[in-house]
Amino acid sequence: MGTLDKAYDAHAVEDRWYKRWEDSGAFRGEVREEAEPYCIMIPPPNVTGMLHMGHILNNTLQDIFIRRARLEGKSALWFPGMDHAGIATQTRVERRLREEGLHRRDLGREKFVDEVWKWREEHGGIILQQLRKIGASCDWSRTSFTLDKDYSRAVLTAFVELYKRGYLYRGLRMSNWCPVSQTALSNEEVVMKPQQGLLYKMRYELVEKPGEHLLISTTRPETLMGDVAVAVHPEDERYRDLVGKHVWRPFPRARIPIIADEAVEIEFGTGALKVTPAHDAIDFEIGQRHGLPIIDVFHPDGTLNESAGAPFVGMDRLEARKVAAKKLEELGNLVETEPYENKVGFSERADVPVEPRLTMQWWLRYPKVEEARRAVEKGHIRFHPQRWAKTYLHWLETMERDKIDWCISRQLWWGHRIPVWYRKGIPREELDFDNPDHVHVSVDGPPDPENWEQEEDVLDTWASSWLWPFANFGWPGSDPVKKRELAYFYPTQTLVTGFDIIFLWVARMVMAGLELTGETREVLPDAEISRRIPFRDVYITGLIRDAKGQKMSKSLGNSPDPLDLIKRFGADGLRFGIVNIAPSGQDILFSEERIEVGRNFCNKLWNAARFRKMSGPSEDTSTEGTILERIDPALLSAYDHWILDRLVEVHSEVERCFERFEIHAYPHALYEFFWSDYCDWYVEASKTRMKDPATQETVLAVQDFVLRQVLRLLEPIIPFITEELWQSLGFSRSGETFLQDAGVLRAVSCRDLLENRIGTIDPSSRAEVENLKDLTTRIRALKAQYNVASRRDLSFWILPDGKAGEAVLERHRETLLNLAQIETLRMVSERPEGMPAGVTALGTVFLDLAQAIDVAAERERLEKEIGKLEKGIRAGEAKLNNPKFVDKAPEAVVDGAREQLEMTRSRFEEIQNLLESLPEA
RNA sequence: GGGGGAUUAGCUCAGUUGGUUAGAGCGCAUGCAUGACACGCAUGAGGUCACUGGUUCAACUCCAGUAUCUCCCACCA
């Protein structure tokens, strides 16, 4: 065994191991019929994406799940890939063209799409390289892209199938229009943002009663040129007489009717609503009900068109708002304006207000909504934390109740072009969709393409990624290898994602799986649901915010560069740190100091291993068996039993964390065990026995055993350093290349293995060690209180608590002296006077000070302690004197209370004795 | 308007199905080169568990209400 450097140097380790893992195919996931499958589908990052903290958290968690599964012997597959990200990518390339003074129209569709592919080759998918830096153990040989040939075929097949089954239709409806991207968006891609604006109160003159006016409130005067009516509530007394009459729209000046419609809120504003069917969803509905015309005053890019009239034509909508208000004022139509905050829908991608706009789009009626609900209600799919199931269910209910459909067409070029062909020569509005001579829908297109025109629109990116869990296994193809893989890995096991895409992605994947995998069926029984769902567990991560709780964003500059963090803290440090601070399902407040914990832990691990190496060689550490053989059970102390007991316990804690998806508790459990129990107490306590040749080998073997198990438990979260130490400590069995091949022991197996060699792990060792720790701490505290913490030549006296205490003290004397850093511990049978003392379960210790003690300080300290004990005694007595407690509480609890009281009383008495023995001040 | 979540030490959070005297990390104070680790070691200070009721032998934990903060959904222009 060589030696290790003083501090862990992540860089020297990480790239080297990653390359070896990847080169040797360690992450390859394949069908192994004898093994249980465990598959995770990566939430495909955008091809334009760059690694941010959210990715770190999300992908570290996935890596933890997949690595743990691998250690458990499952056939683990983490399927990586990317999303073509229609709008984001197209926008990116358009921006580049604009720098050259070009527009995509200048190139034409085909050339433009070529440009995007070129961009993708050069700049796309950086994130997949970055993921390697954090150690993501994806099966890169499978890296998928939603526009790959096979994947595209799956997307088109899904479209055609759903069309055949009647879920798809084309319709002229109100949709969300992004004037920057110039495409429709689904409701889920629109985020509502509160906006500070103005509420304009305007007056429109009554046609039938010149000189009289109707007051109307609006936040959008720029659309009034598209007004075709004014609506009031039918039961609004104020306006009852006016219904059926008309007002003058100020510009372009026109008579428009006053109508009654229940959609109008009597309480809001003046109770009169200007109706602009082309630019507002409610207005559109009102318009439909009353047979009103539709006047669109906007161009697709959000500037005003000819219908708006002078001077508005060509003006941007926000500019037009100001101009319209000014014009209203000049005409005397503006009564007042007041500051007003309302919520405006913004395009998630382009971050500009969307326009409700009447356009022809493709719509999807969601399939298998009822089954998607049942899948979660009946527990076929489990959310972690569970409460997110409510969010999911709530959304589905809204979809069902309000019959909300999904707008899946996009007016873009980058994406899957909708596989629908229209007969040339027939105007689109005259097409009969039931006539195959008019409309052709198929994956490969019509046999006589010259007679058809393909639909120009492409599909929403989510309408491709919702097939992710099965399209990646070759669905619907007939390749036998892929079919076998689909059968083996699907349903996948765990999905790790953020709550923000529960609607956008999670729910839709469930519906797609239910509808499209397996035979076409109208209604699915539970057993079938269980077979068709895309995943069984959904782990929802929190959002990473900065230390002040603000969202991370480029504009705020509060978003750290993960690669920089990796440089400074190591990939393992960052992984450990981020998971360590991630509470379950809550937002995470990030600060660098909190990541330091991870780096420090790695360094601690490193140094514990380093210390082990410096302490002496060992024959063979490559199996548990050879390590355990070196232990002489007769030489094991309470400390050994205790640490091995705790080791078994931490195995079951880790198991519980994974079973319950409480992943944040997983690093906590190991941190506590390794740092506090193993390093601070076990290793420190063993130092004495490591010096003794008789016990040395046994102690080192225990250390080897603990380290070996701990590395296996830690591998999922800190794979690099554990691999490095695994190899360096000689733990690798011949024939096994990596730590991951060694598997992990279940707690029960770990216990069996140990007990086969050393006999039953002594259950009383726990209490014994706790008592010794307490005594050690008391001694150290006394030293600190008397400012002699650094002296090692001090003598302590101890009045043992009975024979048992005496025996324990005798057994551990040397260890105790070393742990407490004192010269001698002398047993006495009488309480010495005039010495500062501490009371423990093993006896009362006294600090033998040459100088006089500070009686006042000592008295104060003891009185403070006695105060606490008094409280405990009172509480205990009250409890035990209550017959109801003694009757009703479980025996163990009552016994526990009795024991507790007894202990508190004896300690109380002992302290009272000490107080009495204090000399007068 | 509907729904979710939160409220525990200065900060960020744990706290199992109710059961001893409520924990951790960071920060803070004090001391320390002790056969690995200053990315360290030791000791310590610091808490009316938001509030009010209820259930119970027993409530940080369960129930109801109040307050404050937060997120999601929804067509008040």
Side-chain angles (χ1 to χ4, degrees), chain A residues 415-435:
Chain A
H416 305 91
R417 191 159 173 182
I418 292 178
V420 174
W421 284 260
Y422 308 113
R423 173 71 68 182
K424 272 186 187 165
I426 303 177
R428 293 280 165 98
E429 51 279 8
E430 287 171 23
L431 288 167
D432 175 4
F433 276 73
D434 293 326
N435 184 346

Side-chain angles (χ1 to χ4, degrees), chain A residues 71-219:
Chain A
L71 285 173
E72 286 172 347
K74 296 175 184 162
S75 178
L77 167 59
W78 184 9
F79 207 120
M82 279 181 303
D83 191 315
H84 65 279
I87 298 178
T89 315
Q90 175 159 332
T91 309
R92 181 69 61 93
V93 176
E94 281 180 319
R95 200 189 307 147
R96 203 164 74 159
L97 283 178
R98 213 173 309 132
E99 284 164 15
E100 298 165 29
L102 289 171
H103 188 271
R104 68 175 154 139
R105 275 189 304 268
D106 301 333
L107 297 183
R109 185 167 190 140
E110 244 172 78
K111 276 196 172 159
F112 177 77
V113 171
D114 285 348
E115 276 300 304
V116 185
W117 277 105
K118 240 189 267 166
W119 180 89
R120 187 217 118 120
E121 294 314 319
E122 286 165 32
H123 307 282
I126 293 172
I127 192 162
L128 299 184
Q129 288 307 322
Q130 294 175 320
L131 283 176
R132 288 170 165 89
K133 287 277 174 197
I134 68 160
S137 61
C138 300
D139 182 351
W140 298 110
S141 69
R142 294 177 185 262
T143 306
S144 163
F145 183 52
T146 47
L147 276 175
D148 283 345
K149 198 164 142 277
D150 288 349
Y151 199 100
S152 296
R153 199 165 175 84
V155 173
L156 301 186
T157 306
F159 184 96
V160 172
E161 272 304 307
L162 290 165
Y163 182 81
K164 278 194 214 154
R165 298 178 197 179
Y167 289 107
L168 280 159
Y169 63 94
R170 187 165 174 266
L172 186 67
R173 290 177 47 180
M174 267 325 226
S175 54
N176 307 294
W177 183 261
C178 173
V180 170
S181 314
Q182 297 201 34
T183 176
L185 301 172
S186 68
N187 294 347
E188 287 68 33
E189 291 164 289
V190 175
V191 286
M192 300 306 278
K193 287 194 191 179
Q195 290 295 299
Q196 292 300 331
L198 295 169
L199 188 61
Y200 301 84
K201 198 188 278 179
M202 330 177 278
R203 52 177 207 175
Y204 283 10
E205 189 174 19
L206 293 164
V207 173
E208 287 83 357
K209 295 182 185 173
E212 281 187 39
H213 295 84
L214 181 58
L215 291 173
I216 301 162
S217 299
T218 183
T219 52

Side-chain angles (χ1 to χ4, degrees), chain A residues 30 66 96 260 329 411 506 512 520 552 609 672 714 916:
Chain A
E30 43 209 27
I66 210 80
R96 203 164 74 159
E329 198 174 1
Q411 288 65 56
V506 180
T520 312
M552 286 191 170
E672 163 88 6
L714 282 168
E916 276 163 26

